[in-house]
Amino acid sequence: LGVLVQRVAASTISRSLVRVAESEQRETPFVLVGPTEVLAHPLLIAGNLNVPESDDRMPELADIGDAILESIWSANELPVLKLKPSKGVEIKGRRFGGKPYLFVFRTIDNYGSTPWTVGAYLDGHSTEKQVGRIAFTVISGAIVLIVSVFVAFLIGRRAAAPAVRLAAAAELVHQGRLSEVERLPDTRLRELNH
């Protein structure tokens, strides 16, 4: 029997997270093992930690120097939008240094005895701006839709008017009331003229 063990440096995992985060907007990704041990974080790439290299343990939240991430489990919770995230995803708001931050994360239980927390946090102000832009886009789209439906209704009515007059005249002819049939006015639709 043999055992194969593969080690991946925390800085390698952190680089992978940063590459993903660079395509997104001002988010800081992280992977925590348990509530305090940091497996991956952009600050682990630099290697400037308060943990001796001889120490075999993972860095703690306090070791990496990200005070915002340290506040993830604090009781200073902010109300967040009533979003319904995917199953298992949590969204929490925290205030740090007078600024709001939004934490989006999922806890994964099947990678060992200690659960992992995988997520990212975002600057709440930029998130508010994005929500504002989305709301503006939705409202603008609704206004354009309402105006379009109204204009389509008016154009449809105007285009249908000659056909409605012709149908009424045809009904009079069908009933044999020829004396009541009036000459129909010319229209832009040549097929209905004369």
Side-chain angles (χ1 to χ4, degrees):
L1 259 241
V3 176
L4 175 66
V5 177
Q6 182 177 3
R7 291 185 66 166
V8 178
S11 61
T12 303
I13 298 172
S14 297
R15 276 191 203 88
S16 298
L17 281 178
V18 168
R19 277 195 297 271
V20 170
E22 285 174 349
S23 65
E24 302 299 323
Q25 286 237 318
R26 294 186 182 136
E27 65 181 40
T28 303
F30 57 86
V31 177
L32 303 177
V33 177
T36 60
E37 293 181 313
V38 182
L39 176 64
H41 187 282
L43 293 176
L44 292 178
I45 297 170
N48 299 334
L49 301 176
N50 299 328
V51 180
E53 286 194 26
S54 62
D55 198 350
D56 241 2
R57 68 180 182 88
M58 278 190 261
E60 300 276 329
L61 284 171
D63 297 332
I64 64 169
D66 185 346
I68 298 167
L69 183 57
E70 284 183 61
S71 73
I72 189 171
W73 310 121
S74 75
N76 185 17
E77 191 161 344
L78 293 175
V80 294
L81 293 173
K82 296 294 179 190
L83 300 173
K84 186 172 182 174
S86 301
K87 184 179 178 184
V89 174
E90 293 183 53
I91 300 176
K92 293 186 177 191
R94 298 284 187 260
R95 183 169 301 283
F96 183 81
K99 290 176 66 176
Y101 289 90
L102 192 66
F103 289 87
V104 181
F105 59 91
R106 169 179 265 165
T107 302
I108 302 172
D109 295 320
N110 34 343
Y111 281 113
S113 59
T114 308
W116 290 20
T117 303
V118 179
Y121 67 83
L122 305 97
D123 179 356
H125 290 303
S126 65
T127 306
E128 288 173 359
K129 289 177 188 175
Q130 290 174 3
V131 169
R133 282 194 299 262
I134 290 170
F136 176 75
T137 302
V138 168
I139 291 169
S140 300
I143 290 170
V144 167
L145 178 66
I146 291 168
V147 169
S148 299
V149 168
F150 181 71
V151 169
F153 174 75
L154 291 178
I155 290 173
R157 244 182 114 164
R158 186 173 174 112
V164 170
R165 286 194 297 266
L166 181 62
E171 182 62 30
L172 290 174
V173 169
H174 175 29
Q175 294 173 0
R177 300 169 28 200
L178 298 177
S179 61
E180 296 177 28
V181 177
E182 298 177 11
R183 176 171 168 75
L184 297 175
D186 288 343
T187 67
R188 292 181 185 211
L189 302 172
R190 293 182 185 171
E191 294 81 7
L192 298 178
N193 290 340
H194 305 292

